[in-house]
Amino acid sequence: MNGKVYLVGAGPGDYKLITLKGLECIKKADVILYDRLINPKLLNYARDDAEIIYVGKEPDNHSYKQGDISRLILKKALEGKIVTRLKGGDPFVFGRGGEEALLLAENNVEFEIVPGITSAVSVPAYCGIPVTHRNYSSSFHVITGHEDPTKKDGYLDYEVLGKLKGTLVFLMGIKNIENICNNLIKNGQAPSRPVAVIRKGTTHEQKMIIGTLEDIAYKVKEDNFQNPAIIVVGEVVNLAGSLRWFENKPLFGKKILVTRTRHQASKLSQKIEELGGESIEFPTIKIIENEDYRDIDRALNNIKKYKWIIFTSVNGVKIFFGRMKKLDFDVRILKDITICAIGPATAKKLNDMGLKVEYMPDEYRAEGIIDILKDKIKDGDNILLPRADIARKLLIDELEKLGAKVDNIPIYKTVIPEYDRENLIKILKEKVDVITFTSSSTVKNFVKILGMENLKFIKGAKIAVIGPITSTTAKEMGMNVDIEAKEYSISGLVDEILNYFCN
């Protein structure tokens, strides 16, 4: 039985511009074939067992010819697999999706076209250029810039293009920009007509040059502008000065390395991206449940003896209540226990579960917990402390000094995930503006993964930490700490990064 093929437009570069349906196709694919302009973050949504094949074609190096790609798609489909073909922009706008679809149709293979957001519209929009505007342009025209305008048997009719008053958008035209401009002028376009050339639009490397038909080719050459880029011709270009928004974001152009666990990285990454920064995720820790449940099971079976439960992390909350559910405990059994949380994220997780957090310190660390509870804990109070295996002993010591009986139960541990040292070195060599650390573990594991001998590669990057404990660890590892959060939370860390670059 044949499989099925989805020809998916992945959008122009910003991975969040893919459609919901396109994302669904990535998630369910057995095989994914992708182009060079695809944002690699989209591949993170693929199944772990999916076969991922790069079929990108460089302008001067076609390792895969179009016919080879089409036949490979067909081959995988005939093997009975669900195939997602990821193409930059829209598959039917100079994407050669029509050729791939025809071969599938000829071989009776089922397929669907999933349209994508074309760069012809989205890239100008990210630069504040509307391709139509009632005062400037009532039409827009998408034209290949890849065809040599000087060849006699070309498809482009510059006599027609030269008379158009709407916006002209040329895709893949950097190498031919001089010929394009000269032919437009020769066929009636005003030499002074505004032109914008936009490179790597909708990404954090976006850059735009503005000129006229008369001088833009010189400016492109002077600036050594390279592909991928588009050319926008028309009066709407003049609106960029007023409507530019993407490049005005406060962290635009900043590359920020996130070292949190893979499942926790998204919150920090999202905040960075909302401010215009580029988040590069390289997890240095992995959270795994403690395999020995005897201690936590014993505590749960004697839960009524506890006066307090102190949660020091979201991970602790998830695993603790996961174990309760596994043992079929009713959460109402905690009704007489006072619950404390060390920070807002942990408190929110508890609140979302319908539990009331009685105490949360202003300072989100062990010292803060002690400060807020020192007048409330009574001699002989039983306290349950479900947390990480490597958590500081300070909290236990200080609680016991107050007369409490503490059951410190490691319910999860942090380990170093599988890693690729060479990939980390490559990321650092390509210039990272900020490296973020959200715990001492992320620092220690980062150094283990990178290797002390390679710490030279972090030179030039700013080190940003979530609080003083992490800061101390970073300094012990030979790092200079440039940014330290005043509020020991993800929001506090992002705020300080923002203040560093904007004040």
Side-chain angles (χ1 to χ4, degrees), residues 16-47:
K16 291 183 178 180
L17 291 181
I18 194 168
T19 63
L20 181 59
K21 185 167 185 178
L23 197 59
E24 289 173 350
C25 294
I26 293 173
K27 291 178 178 179
K28 66 184 177 184
D30 299 311
V31 183
I32 297 173
L33 297 91
Y34 71 101
D35 285 346
R36 71 184 180 94
L37 297 181
I38 299 302
N39 191 314
K41 288 186 177 181
L42 288 174
L43 301 177
N44 293 334
Y45 294 94
R47 294 187 346 229

Side-chain angles (χ1 to χ4, degrees), residues 204-271:
H204 301 88
E205 297 178 75
Q206 175 176 298
K207 188 174 181 182
M208 177 170 64
I209 296 176
I210 290 178
T212 65
L213 283 173
E214 197 169 37
D215 65 14
I216 192 66
Y218 170 79
K219 289 184 176 183
V220 164
K221 185 177 181 181
E222 188 74 9
D223 213 314
N224 195 29
F225 238 44
Q226 302 292 327
N227 279 312
I230 73 166
I231 303 165
V232 184
V233 180
E235 286 65 35
V236 290
V237 168
N238 291 330
L239 294 170
S242 301
L243 302 183
R244 287 175 83 162
W245 60 275
F246 185 51
E247 294 173 42
N248 292 337
K249 289 193 171 191
L251 293 181
F252 176 79
K254 296 290 185 287
K255 290 185 177 181
I256 300 177
L257 187 65
V258 175
T259 58
R260 300 189 90 196
T261 63
R262 191 169 299 282
H263 75 277
Q264 290 178 311
S266 58
K267 183 180 178 183
L268 178 52
S269 294
Q270 183 178 358
K271 287 181 177 293

Side-chain angles (χ1 to χ4, degrees), residues 94-295:
F94 300 125
R96 304 189 74 171
E99 298 171 45
E100 295 168 352
L102 278 172
L103 183 62
L104 296 170
E106 289 166 2
N107 286 274
N108 297 313
V109 171
E110 185 182 0
F111 65 88
E112 287 188 26
I113 309 300
V114 182
I117 299 176
T118 174
S119 61
V121 173
S122 55
V123 168
Y126 265 54
C127 289
I129 300 173
V131 291
T132 64
H133 187 286
R134 64 180 298 174
N135 296 329
Y136 298 97
S137 175
S138 298
S139 64
F140 72 96
H141 312 267
V142 183
I143 308 149
T144 178
H146 196 56
E147 183 181 62
D148 184 352
T150 62
K151 68 180 184 180
K152 293 180 180 180
D153 58 347
Y155 290 105
L156 295 181
D157 189 339
Y158 275 88
E159 287 187 24
V160 173
L161 293 177
K163 294 178 175 61
L164 294 174
K165 298 190 181 299
T167 307
L168 309 180
V169 182
F170 291 86
L171 305 186
M172 306 169 289
I174 282 290
K175 286 190 174 181
N176 292 325
I177 189 167
E178 187 172 358
N179 285 327
I180 290 170
C181 292
N182 287 341
N183 274 275
L184 288 175
I185 293 171
K186 179 181 175 182
N187 288 278
Q189 295 275 324
S192 60
R193 198 172 195 210
V195 182
V197 180
I198 307 162
R199 183 173 188 269
K200 292 192 174 182
T202 79
T203 76
H204 301 88
E205 297 178 75
Q206 175 176 298
K207 188 174 181 182
M208 177 170 64
I209 296 176
I210 290 178
T212 65
L213 283 173
E214 197 169 37
D215 65 14
I216 192 66
Y218 170 79
K219 289 184 176 183
V220 164
K221 185 177 181 181
E222 188 74 9
D223 213 314
N224 195 29
F225 238 44
Q226 302 292 327
N227 279 312
I230 73 166
I231 303 165
V232 184
V233 180
E235 286 65 35
V236 290
V237 168
N238 291 330
L239 294 170
S242 301
L243 302 183
R244 287 175 83 162
W245 60 275
F246 185 51
E247 294 173 42
N248 292 337
K249 289 193 171 191
L251 293 181
F252 176 79
K254 296 290 185 287
K255 290 185 177 181
I256 300 177
L257 187 65
V258 175
T259 58
R260 300 189 90 196
T261 63
R262 191 169 299 282
H263 75 277
Q264 290 178 311
S266 58
K267 183 180 178 183
L268 178 52
S269 294
Q270 183 178 358
K271 287 181 177 293
I272 290 167
E273 289 168 357
E274 285 173 356
L275 294 166
E278 180 181 4
S279 169
I280 303 169
E281 295 178 2
F282 191 95
T284 61
I285 61 171
K286 181 180 180 180
I287 303 298
I288 58 174
E289 290 189 36
N290 196 329
E291 295 173 357
D292 186 348
Y293 294 105
R294 285 176 296 179
D295 288 342

Side-chain angles (χ1 to χ4, degrees), residues 11 14 103 109 191 207 214 221 243 283 285 294 329 352 363 374 378 405 443 500:
D14 183 341
L103 183 62
V109 171
K207 188 174 181 182
E214 197 169 37
K221 185 177 181 181
L243 302 183
I285 61 171
R294 285 176 296 179
F329 277 99
D352 289 346
E363 186 182 18
K374 62 185 178 183
K378 297 177 182 177
K405 297 176 182 178
V443 178
Y500 184 88

